[in-house]
Amino acid sequence: MTRYLDIGPLDDIPREGARVVKTAMGCVAVFRTATDAVFALDDRCPHKGGPLSEGIVHGTSVTCPLHAWVFDMGTGAAQGADEGQVATYDVRVEAGRVLLDTSRILRERAA
Amino acid sequence: MIPGTAERKTEKLVVIGAGMASGRVLEHLMTEAPGAFDVTLFNAEPRGNYNRIMLSPVLSGEKTYAEIVTHDDDWYAQQGIDCRFGESIVKIDRANKVVYSNAGGVPYDKLVIATGSAPFIIPVPGKDLPGVVSYRDLDDTNTMIAAARPGAQAVVIGGGLLGLEAAAGLALRGMEVTVIHLMGHLMERQLDPSAGYLLQKALEARGIRIHCKGATKAILGTDRVEAVALEDGTVYGADLVVMAVGIRPETRIATDAHLEVARGITVDDALRTSDPAIWAVGECVEHDKQLFGLVAPLYDQARVVAASLLGHEAAFRPVQTATKLKVTGCDLFSAGDFAEGPGREDIVFRDPGRGVYKRLVIEGDRLIGAVMYGDTADGGWFFGLIKDGTDISAMRDTLIFGPAFQGGPSADPLAAVAALPPEAEICGCNGVCKGKIVSAIEGGATTLDAVRAQTKASSSCGTCTGLVEQVLAVTMGDAFVLPTAQPMCKCTRHTHEDVRRLIKAQGLKSIPAVMQELGWTSVGGCASCRPALNYYLLSDWPLDYTDDRQARFVNERNHANIQKDGTYSVVPRMWGGVTTPDELRAIADAADRYNVPMVKVTGGQRIDLLGVRKEDLPAIWADFNAAGMVSGHAYSKGLRTVKTCVGSEFCRFGTQDSTGLGIRLEKHLWGSWTPAKVKLGVSGCPRNCAEATCKDIGIVCVDSGYQISVAGAAGMDVKETELLCTVATEDEVMEIVSAFVQLYRENSRYLHRIYKFVAKTGLDWCKAQVVADLDNRRALAARFELSQSVYRTDPWAEHAAPRERAKWQPLADLSLEAAE
Ligand SMILES: Cc1cc2nc3c(=O)[nH]c(=O)nc-3n(C[C@H](O)[C@H](O)[C@H](O)COP(=O)(O)OP(=O)(O)OC[C@H]3O[C@@H](n4cnc5c(N)ncnc54)[C@H](O)[C@@H]3O)c2cc1C
Ligand code: SF4
Ligand code: FES
């Protein structure tokens, strides 16, 4: 079951940037693209744990700040020669507010 | 009643609002079932239906009101419609089925609400002054026409469809028009930044001033409007202010009547409201959480309402709509959903020469969105593919070229150079423009060397060689074989050097402008070109360009060095390596207060606090600022440190005040952004205790003065500096070092340190620029100073400000949120 929580106004996330949401399972990076699409990914690069929220956003991809792996924010899959996957979360914008599907985050915590 | 005929009572239909939606409803009713209803039509405006979307041509003078009327008095009379124009409905009495205007009540059996929407007025001081108008109906249009005098000033607030149409119309009437738009680019709901950039350029070309990222603070004036003031301090004089910032559904009478209203009047698929005797249609409705602001879906709604009123089954299914701006000469088209999204892919085509941009968004095998500027001929075809959900996988490779594609050419890498005007400068060192090179080629100089010999282009630093070759290729066609050079990144075919020269030659001042004009093949660049472009623009247009923080590598964005575990290291500046007990105490206190796990002396004579959490950065900086310290830029592609020895002040060998000179240099150079990090060293005598001869710029003091040497390295490569010159005074050191840093800033490719830059351009060329040519040296130093007037500021002070601090915290904290 999905459970959307309001995590704040879209305007608090910079265009082509990200903010993090703290959870008991670690941080989730919430990205906003140049055209206001939003994506949510685990804020941990599968390579060596780099904070993806601090990467450079370009189009719908983000480049990890530590060793420049590139991830498709839609699928969480590493691009190019690298192999890896970051968990993604459903996120949407309604009336200027960002809603994050927290069912997985909270369920895992309960388990 | 004639005896024997079945008793048939004509139903009473009341329609509130004579706009574009209800006009269509009436047409359907009158053709499909004439006489089915006794119709009473109310309209707040003192006139009947007209084509509202044609108000812009009326404003610009291209059409008259008479030409846009859709239903005239004769038509209403023929249909037997009772017209109550200029009469607003103020109340709906649902229990008794009567609507009331100020003139009295009219009963209904069936009621249609078609009240459209009301313009949104931003609640700033002065919004009610005479001369402030919205843009919604004929009266607004006439007010604008009356106020428009050639040479008078108009400010349009809102750079969306309506605002821009108003702006273009007023400009055609000779007004000086400024558009203030809150977002970063025009029509952001329909266009992406690239198309927005092209639109802005086209509007600017017709004299309309555009101010993006502008927030209106107040409208000024005593008896009538005089000016508009923005949050950033800009003030624009105004004889007329048009507010076109948005609309909201006009739902007041529905709310008062306790109909279900969300953002608009809630309707079902048959456009019925929560009261089965009442329908609503047009911009005032909300269907399936969606509002409507364009006529195409309203016309579909009108068909459904008419059917439903007549008792037929019908359901409204919203379809995609396409947008077109009705400004003559600005061809743009957008349809479908072109936002980026999971699993979506883009196809981008740019032809800077013709000012064309096309972008298709594909999901799976379907086209779901399209944005086009400049050449919109294929818009309808793409729109069809979107609406029909056509499987496009078979034509994907050539889709962007449109239906007529016959296997034609792909994007031309030389287009950007071909598009340059003859006066565009190609070679900065020697001031040679494209036209001069073209005439040399036409006069027989058909090789690079011949062009060099005749025009001097590319004969100095050589960074424009690629461009000169491209001018040869463009001018000579196949007769010239273009050598292949390493492109800047996978998003472009241009080299770093070419991009730098083209930014200057074409006067490009933003990242979207560069990407469009130079034919970038990706949507938003990549992690390697975005920081480089940001640097080039900042270095070339220090006063015009606003730094794009999001195009910066994390260290520069957060003004601290990221460490392997995601914590940061913080280094306050210590001018020339000198500190004080007070500063040391402040550092020690901060280390205690923020539980800094390691405090370390760096190789650049400073103290590094390692392991600071991101959330703590603003607070720790604020503490350092309070103690009088600024950022050490230990993270930047910019000036880092000036290492010094003690020099003549204490050392028995010292010949000059090396510490004092180091401090002076650091205070002059700090804050500047450079292609890569820059480190200096100043030693007081040839014993060279500051190790100045393996720095980017090293100064060794000698009895007779100062030896300035450059291009050392002590990193991945280890290299000794080379002597640039020897000078007699400190002032000359200052001037030559500034000029040399500026030479490097203006000409190097991004991420090349000084030793690589000098290896490419040659030390002799650098000497010629900053030593021999005094005028040029002074000009370079002056340009450096100009740039420093903006950048010699402490970034910590800005980010540590209390209102900024929240941005360094998590957006939300769900760690204590209970599980279900
Ligand atoms: C300048 C301009 C340019 C536009 N350009 C385009 C375009 O290019 N393409 C496009 O698709 N769309 C365009 N639009 C939008 C389009 O005009 C609207 O979507 C459309 O007119 C909405 O139709 P409607 O019937 O819902 O409302 P309207 O056409 O606004 O009609 C509503 C009517 O109801 C009346 N009314 C309101 N309250 C009451 C009341 N209580 N009692 C009686 N009467 C009342 C109003 O006075 C108004 O006349 C443009 C709009 C404007 C203003
Ligand atoms: S470089 Fe010369 S002046 Fe400076 S500390 Fe060493 S010996 Fe003294
Ligand atoms: S940690 Fe992300 S690329 Fe290495």
Side-chain angles (χ1 to χ4, degrees):
Chain A
M1 208 188 73
T2 51
R3 183 182 169 205
Y4 284 95
L5 272 191
D6 183 336
I7 53 168
L10 177 65
D11 283 345
D12 280 1
I13 307 174
R15 283 223 169 84
E16 299 185 295
R19 291 287 297 275
V20 298
V21 173
K22 252 177 134 159
T23 81
M25 310 297 303
C27 284
V28 174
V30 184
F31 294 90
R32 175 182 182 188
T33 70
T35 53
D36 284 352
V38 292
F39 297 96
L41 281 73
D42 268 341
D43 192 22
R44 251 187 87 76
C45 175
H47 178 220
K48 291 192 175 172
L52 295 177
S53 57
E54 297 291 359
I56 289 179
V57 175
H58 41 98
T60 48
S61 305
V62 60
T63 297
C64 176
L66 293 198
H67 314 96
W69 283 25
V70 179
F71 297 90
D72 178 321
M73 297 194 286
T75 61
Q79 306 291 289
D82 301 319
E83 276 180 31
Q85 181 80 34
V86 199
T88 60
Y89 300 87
D90 276 344
V91 62
R92 61 180 198 217
V93 178
E94 256 175 39
R97 309 286 305 182
V98 182
L99 307 181
L100 177 71
D101 177 8
T102 55
S103 50
R104 203 145 37 86
I105 305 164
L106 299 180
R107 177 159 11 101
E108 281 175 19
R109 176 167 180 259
Chain B
M1 180 124 333
I2 303 159
T5 53
E7 184 171 328
R8 205 189 118 239
K9 174 171 149 283
T10 312
E11 282 191 298
K12 290 198 198 59
L13 173 68
V14 169
V15 179
I16 308 176
M20 302 198 64
S22 71
R24 265 296 159 100
V25 175
L26 292 175
E27 268 173 39
H28 283 298
L29 289 178
M30 299 306 157
T31 45
E32 282 157 38
F37 295 103
D38 264 345
V39 182
T40 310
L41 175 61
F42 284 92
N43 202 23
E45 287 182 66
R47 57 187 74 87
N49 299 87
Y50 58 92
N51 188 347
R52 192 176 304 280
I53 71 179
M54 295 314 255
L55 285 177
S56 293
V58 172
L59 175 64
S60 62
E62 289 158 299
K63 274 200 174 12
T64 63
Y65 173 65
E67 287 174 87
I68 69 166
V69 168
T70 51
H71 303 84
D72 56 17
D73 293 348
D74 283 352
W75 188 82
Y76 294 120
Q78 271 168 27
Q79 313 301 331
I81 294 175
D82 180 7
C83 296
R84 307 286 187 87
F85 296 153
E87 228 181 296
S88 292
I89 292 303
V90 291
K91 186 177 160 202
I92 304 171
D93 176 354
R94 285 166 53 198
N96 300 304
K97 290 196 169 178
V98 182
V99 296
Y100 289 93
S101 74
N102 288 333
V106 171
Y108 65 84
D109 297 309
K110 289 179 175 166
L111 178 65
V112 173
I113 305 178
T115 47
S117 43
F120 188 73
I121 302 293
I122 42 175
V124 289
K127 66 180 168 48
D128 300 318
L129 284 171
V132 181
V133 293
S134 55
Y135 190 18
R136 181 72 203 163
D137 58 24
L138 181 68
D139 296 328
D140 296 331
T141 312
N142 285 337
T143 311
M144 283 191 252
I145 293 172
R149 277 172 289 107
Q153 295 172 307
V155 171
V156 176
I157 304 176
L161 192 86
L162 278 193
L164 296 180
E165 289 188 3
L170 295 170
L172 274 179
R173 289 189 178 263
M175 293 192 88
E176 274 179 34
V177 183
T178 303
V179 175
I180 293 163
H181 191 49
L182 190 60
M183 311 307 284
H185 68 273
L186 297 175
M187 289 181 69
E188 79 287 346
R189 285 174 43 206
Q190 291 87 9
L191 302 180
D192 61 8
S194 298
Y197 155 76
L198 283 174
L199 175 60
Q200 174 163 351
K201 212 170 84 160
L203 293 170
E204 283 169 349
R206 51 185 77 190
I208 298 173
R209 188 186 316 158
I210 311 277
H211 186 135
C212 283
K213 296 191 190 151
T216 307
K217 187 171 168 192
I219 298 174
L220 312 176
T222 33
D223 300 328
R224 61 172 283 119
V225 46
E226 287 162 21
V228 175
L230 307 192
E231 298 281 0
D232 66 10
T234 321
V235 175
Y236 292 110
D239 303 292
L240 174 73
V241 174
V242 182
M243 275 221 205
V245 292
I247 52 172
R248 51 172 180 69
E250 178 55 79
T251 57
R252 278 173 298 180
I253 48 173
T255 310
D256 291 347
H258 302 294
L259 289 172
E260 211 174 281
V261 176
R263 283 178 301 161
I265 304 170
T266 317
V267 293
D268 63 12
D269 286 354
L271 281 313
R272 254 186 229 249
T273 67
S274 54
D275 179 333
I278 305 181
W279 283 254
V281 64
E283 281 184 351
C284 58
V285 309
E286 176 170 331
H287 173 266
D288 198 12
K289 299 208 167 72
Q290 211 184 330
L291 300 176
F292 303 87
L294 294 172
V295 292
L298 309 190
Y299 285 174
D300 285 343
Q301 291 180 355
R303 196 178 31 77
V304 173
V305 169
S308 179
L309 283 167
L310 293 169
H312 309 312
E313 288 273 317
F316 170 61
R317 293 264 170 272
V319 292
Q320 306 278 1
T321 48
T323 314
K324 229 180 121 23
L325 178 73
K326 298 185 299 301
V327 172
T328 317
C330 291
D331 277 332
L332 64 81
F333 173 92
S334 92
D337 184 356
F338 55 85
E340 287 147 4
R344 290 182 178 175
E345 290 169 67
D346 291 287
I347 301 177
V348 179
F349 171 87
R350 307 184 197 241
D351 182 344
R354 289 191 300 138
V356 171
Y357 168 77
K358 301 184 190 185
R359 173 167 161 226
L360 303 177
V361 181
I362 292 175
E363 196 168 56
D365 298 330
R366 322 267 161 213
L367 182 64
I368 60 161
V371 193
M372 273 170 245
Y373 189 92
D375 174 1
T376 53
D378 297 334
W381 184 71
F382 288 124
F383 187 40
L385 296 179
I386 296 173
K387 273 201 303 196
D388 303 342
T390 312
D391 181 340
I392 49 91
S393 48
M395 52 184 166
R396 189 183 157 118
D397 289 350
T398 55
L399 188 64
I400 193 105
F401 301 111
F405 179 73
Q406 301 294 327
S410 58
D412 179 1
L414 295 177
V417 174
L420 284 179
E423 60 280 8
E425 189 181 88
I426 298 288
C427 170
C429 303
N430 300 293
V432 187
C433 64
K434 178 181 164 189
K436 197 160 161 200
I437 299 172
V438 171
S439 5
I441 299 167
E442 284 165 355
T446 53
T447 64
L448 180 64
D449 283 338
V451 171
R452 270 189 192 143
Q454 281 195 24
T455 65
K456 288 260 175 296
S458 124
S459 61
S460 300
C461 80
T463 54
C464 62
T465 305
L467 280 187
V468 175
E469 286 168 341
Q470 292 186 23
V471 175
L472 276 157
V474 167
T475 317
M476 293 169 60
D478 295 341
F480 184 83
V481 182
L482 202 59
T484 45
Q486 192 64 32
M488 184 166 158
C489 66
K490 62 179 178 9
C491 312
T492 176
R493 299 183 204 212
H494 294 294
T495 63
H496 277 270
E497 288 73 19
D498 290 354
V499 170
R500 286 218 80 166
R501 296 290 324 146
L502 288 164
I503 285 174
K504 284 179 231 183
Q506 298 200 30
L508 305 176
K509 297 193 176 174
S510 69
I511 292 180
V514 175
M515 290 184 177
Q516 173 58 29
E517 297 298 336
L518 307 189
W520 244 242
T521 54
S522 63
V523 175
C526 69
S528 105
C529 60
R530 292 193 51 221
L533 292 180
N534 185 52
Y535 169 73
Y536 294 153
L537 290 162
L538 170 150
S539 139
D540 287 343
W541 319 108
L543 303 186
D544 301 343
Y545 178 69
T546 323
D547 184 36
D548 179 358
R549 202 163 161 240
Q550 301 304 333
R552 287 192 174 275
F553 185 64
V554 54
N555 289 354
E556 295 183 345
R557 198 180 325 116
N558 291 342
H559 299 286
N561 259 317
I562 197 165
Q563 308 298 334
K564 59 186 272 187
D565 62 352
T567 63
Y568 290 83
S569 71
V570 170
V571 182
R573 203 167 271 290
M574 278 181 187
W575 307 100
V578 176
T579 184
T580 64
D582 279 343
E583 286 184 354
L584 291 172
R585 254 187 297 273
I587 292 173
D589 286 346
D592 277 343
R593 192 166 308 135
Y594 303 98
N595 296 319
V596 169
M598 183 189 264
V599 181
K600 185 174 185 310
V601 174
T602 72
Q605 300 186 329
R606 303 193 285 199
I607 292 175
D608 193 354
L609 290 88
L610 290 131
V612 179
R613 299 182 318 146
K614 181 181 176 188
E615 294 94 297
D616 289 337
L617 288 175
I620 197 169
W621 294 337
D623 287 2
F624 285 145
N625 277 165
M629 284 181 275
V630 298
S631 170
H633 287 86
Y635 46 79
S636 73
K637 309 276 176 271
L639 178 84
R640 299 256 177 118
T641 55
V642 182
K643 189 171 180 180
T644 59
C645 72
V646 294
S648 60
E649 233 185 303
F650 288 95
C651 177
R652 62 201 163 105
F653 298 111
T655 63
Q656 313 277 1
D657 178 11
S658 51
T659 311
L661 177 57
I663 294 173
R664 200 174 156 198
L665 279 166
E666 186 163 355
K667 293 210 157 158
H668 187 70
L669 300 173
W670 80 286
S672 61
W673 298 102
T674 46
K677 63 180 169 187
V678 172
K679 295 179 171 180
L680 274 67
V682 186
S683 287
C685 83
R687 283 174 183 76
N688 195 13
C689 294
E691 294 161 345
T693 52
C694 62
K695 295 286 184 280
D696 296 286
I697 302 175
I699 291 134
V700 176
C701 304
V702 290
D703 274 330
S704 58
Y706 307 83
Q707 294 174 340
I708 305 174
S709 61
V710 298
M716 291 228 266
D717 292 308
V718 180
K719 193 180 157 295
E720 191 184 341
T721 51
E722 299 170 63
L723 186 67
L724 189 68
C725 60
T726 304
V727 297
T729 64
E730 268 197 7
D731 286 349
E732 285 170 285
V733 174
M734 298 302 296
E735 192 173 82
I736 288 188
V737 169
S738 316
F740 179 77
V741 170
Q742 185 66 9
L743 188 74
Y744 167 57
R745 297 182 74 226
E746 288 179 4
N747 293 287
S748 173
R749 87 157 48 171
Y750 192 62
L751 298 187
H752 269 193
R753 288 191 65 177
I754 285 179
Y755 74 99
K756 287 196 177 161
F757 164 69
V758 171
K760 250 183 133 166
T761 61
L763 186 65
D764 287 343
W765 180 73
C766 298
K767 282 183 182 167
Q769 297 290 308
V770 302
V771 183
D773 185 342
L774 191 61
D775 287 344
N776 193 49
R777 178 202 304 175
R778 299 245 150 100
L780 282 164
R783 288 203 293 280
F784 181 72
E785 201 43 43
L786 181 80
S787 165
Q788 284 294 75
S789 69
V790 180
Y791 289 106
R792 197 184 281 130
T793 53
D794 179 33
W796 288 356
E798 179 195 337
H799 293 290
R803 68 188 152 75
E804 293 296 308
R805 291 197 189 181
K807 296 179 185 164
W808 298 81
Q809 305 296 323
L811 182 61
D813 186 349
L814 307 180
S815 53
L816 299 176
E817 193 80 17
E820 269 175 282

